Amino acid sequence: MSMAESLEAIQHEVEQGLAQASSPEEIEAIRVQVLGKKGSLTAVMHMMGSVSKEERPHMGKLANDVREQVTSLIAKRKSELMDACMLKQFEAQKVDITLPGRAYPKGTQHLISSIREEIEDIFTGLGYTVEDGPYVETTYYNFTALNAPEDHPSRSAKDTFYLVDRAPEGKEHHVLGESDVLLRTQTSGVQVHVMEHTKPPIYMICPGTVFRPDTADANHLPQFTQVEGLVVDKGITFGDLKGTLDYFCKEIFGKDRKTRYRPHFFPFTEPSCEVDVSCGVCKGSGCRFCKYTGWLEILGCGLVDPNVFGYVGIDPEVYSGFAFGIGVERVAALRYDLPDLRMLMAGDMRFLRQF
Ligand code: DAH
């Protein structure tokens, strides 16, 4: 067989082989048989040396043409078979690659978080800073520096979650309820932290979680959210307090709501008040929601007691100030007429999705 005949036979053989092959593996076997190191076409190419000088250019071109053709035929058939193979697999898995993707439901903020942010917006709009403080406090920050006497009832283990102090090696632990470390019962301690490291003027709020050993019922939660506020500057009066908190109430509840300031007692403010907002359910005429008073309590406030300034080294002859503590769950209940605070903690999506 001449070299040209051999080349023609190889090409023919490849074309037939490819037509019969039904898998990419068979194609690969043909490729190795023909183009591999010991392949039939490779062998013919090696024989080029024995071709006469006159014939060599012609033969060389013919051999190269055949190799190129064979190579491209093999590649084309291989890719056809691989596509077919993939389609077969998709069909077997019943995957419809034309279907649109699955959309996952997007989460939203919890009602308490969004109200907290709204309160932050109102006060930062008035130039206040937003501060942070520790959840685990000492009795000094939670009570003593806030002017609460040693025998103040709020210090009792009935009203405060005390933590067991970690005693030094070999010493006994404090008994629960006698420790000087606790879960803060109010955000008011942050007033002390801020005044310790900031020189007046101070205009700040501090939102955060507080803890009390209350059994959860319609009006109480053992863990809830407060926003503390503190202003310390020269010449601050009760008028500044009232103007600020009236503005806050109207921003958060609407212009039609009325406010009422009731005298109260807090150790760290003097004078002190509780602020009520007119009931949104009965518009102030009295209903079950407001216990037939027409009013709902929303925050505590007052002018900073000079004794508190004494603990942080601020001169009460130069500076005065006011403070307030807002219950965020109360704000939520008031704004949306929620009959039971526990709804805010239950995590029931049918309830939470409404906001
Ligand atoms: N800490 C008080 C409470 O938890 C709320 C409060 C009342 C905060 C009066 C204040 C304030 O800053 O001036 O009941």
Side-chain angles (χ1 to χ4, degrees):
M1 213 192 278
S2 75
M3 189 179 264
E5 283 167 346
S6 294
L7 287 169
E8 198 180 320
I10 288 172
Q11 176 153 4
H12 185 66
E13 200 184 307
V14 169
E15 282 166 4
Q16 263 192 344
L18 290 180
Q20 279 165 15
S22 58
S23 72
E25 290 77 22
E26 284 171 64
I27 305 283
E28 179 58 16
I30 293 175
R31 192 191 66 78
V32 173
Q33 243 174 49
V34 179
L35 296 167
K37 245 188 209 161
K38 292 179 184 154
S40 49
L41 186 57
T42 315
V44 174
M45 301 291 260
H46 281 319
M47 281 156 55
M48 203 56 74
S50 60
V51 175
S52 68
K53 253 192 178 168
E54 300 75 49
E55 260 196 306
R56 209 177 285 165
H58 170 65
M59 270 303 138
K61 183 171 178 327
L62 191 63
N64 273 334
D65 285 352
V66 169
R67 192 175 55 181
E68 263 169 41
Q69 265 194 45
V70 165
T71 307
S72 100
L73 280 175
I74 288 176
K76 186 163 163 258
R77 185 73 182 129
K78 194 170 180 180
S79 117
E80 276 171 15
L81 279 178
M82 274 167 69
D83 285 354
C85 233
M86 205 143 68
L87 264 177
K88 239 194 215 160
Q89 259 179 18
F90 281 149
E91 272 161 26
Q93 292 171 352
K94 299 239 176 326
V95 172
D96 182 351
I97 54 171
T98 64
L99 275 179
R102 232 171 253 153
Y104 287 95
K106 257 198 222 146
T108 54
Q109 259 188 333
H110 191 277
L111 177 60
I112 293 303
S113 304
S114 63
I115 292 187
R116 196 196 64 212
E117 280 188 9
E118 218 178 297
I119 297 175
E120 287 178 14
D121 283 349
I122 293 172
F123 283 101
T124 50
L126 293 174
Y128 285 54
T129 61
V130 180
E131 307 290 337
D132 205 1
Y135 285 16
V136 178
E137 268 294 12
T138 57
T139 47
Y140 178 78
Y141 287 100
N142 200 76
F143 297 121
T144 311
L146 288 168
N147 201 35
E150 285 295 322
D151 59 354
H152 195 272
S154 65
R155 287 187 185 244
S156 81
K158 203 169 72 49
D159 289 322
T160 299
F161 285 118
Y162 284 96
L163 305 180
V164 180
D165 279 352
R166 201 159 280 243
E169 200 80 9
K171 292 254 171 70
E172 264 187 36
H173 280 188
H174 280 290
V175 183
L176 194 69
E178 301 291 326
S179 144
D180 57 2
V181 184
L182 48 82
L183 295 183
R184 67 177 179 193
T185 60
Q186 52 186 358
T187 44
S188 301
V190 183
Q191 292 186 31
V192 182
H193 287 291
V194 169
M195 285 190 283
E196 276 181 347
H197 66 68
T198 318
K199 279 206 172 75
I202 295 167
Y203 290 81
M204 75 90 178
I205 56 164
C206 168
T209 312
V210 299
F211 309 87
R212 290 182 196 174
D214 282 329
T215 311
D217 63 25
N219 298 307
H220 297 89
L221 295 171
Q223 173 184 326
F224 57 101
T225 318
Q226 287 187 331
V227 176
E228 191 74 19
L230 175 70
V231 168
V232 183
D233 206 343
K234 288 178 181 159
I236 296 294
T237 68
F238 204 88
D240 297 311
L241 175 155
K242 205 156 179 271
T244 306
L245 294 179
D246 274 356
Y247 171 76
F248 162 73
C249 289
K250 294 222 184 315
E251 281 293 300
I252 202 105
F253 296 115
K255 305 258 183 280
D256 55 327
R257 293 285 186 103
K258 292 194 185 69
T259 53
R260 165 174 96 166
Y261 291 71
R262 257 185 309 105
H264 199 76
F265 175 81
F266 294 105
F268 38 91
T269 43
E270 183 60 34
S272 306
C273 291
E274 278 188 335
V275 177
D276 299 335
V277 175
S278 56
C279 178
V281 176
C282 63
K283 306 281 175 262
S285 62
C287 67
R288 223 172 54 150
F289 190 57
C290 60
K291 299 200 186 86
Y292 302 97
T293 61
W295 297 96
L296 292 151
E297 181 204 326
I298 185 70
L299 58 86
C301 61
L303 295 184
V304 180
D305 192 300
N307 287 349
V308 175
F309 283 145
Y311 277 101
V312 293
I314 290 178
D315 186 350
E317 297 299 324
V318 179
Y319 291 103
S320 56
F322 66 84
F324 55 88
I326 304 164
V328 180
E329 282 76 5
R330 280 266 169 92
V331 172
L334 258 156
R335 191 143 98 168
Y336 298 106
D337 306 328
L338 307 179
D340 194 326
L341 291 185
R342 286 170 294 188
M343 294 166 106
L344 292 165
M345 301 297 277
D348 186 334
M349 294 307 288
R350 291 166 304 177
F351 168 70
L352 292 172
R353 275 209 196 96
Q354 299 177 80
F355 308 106

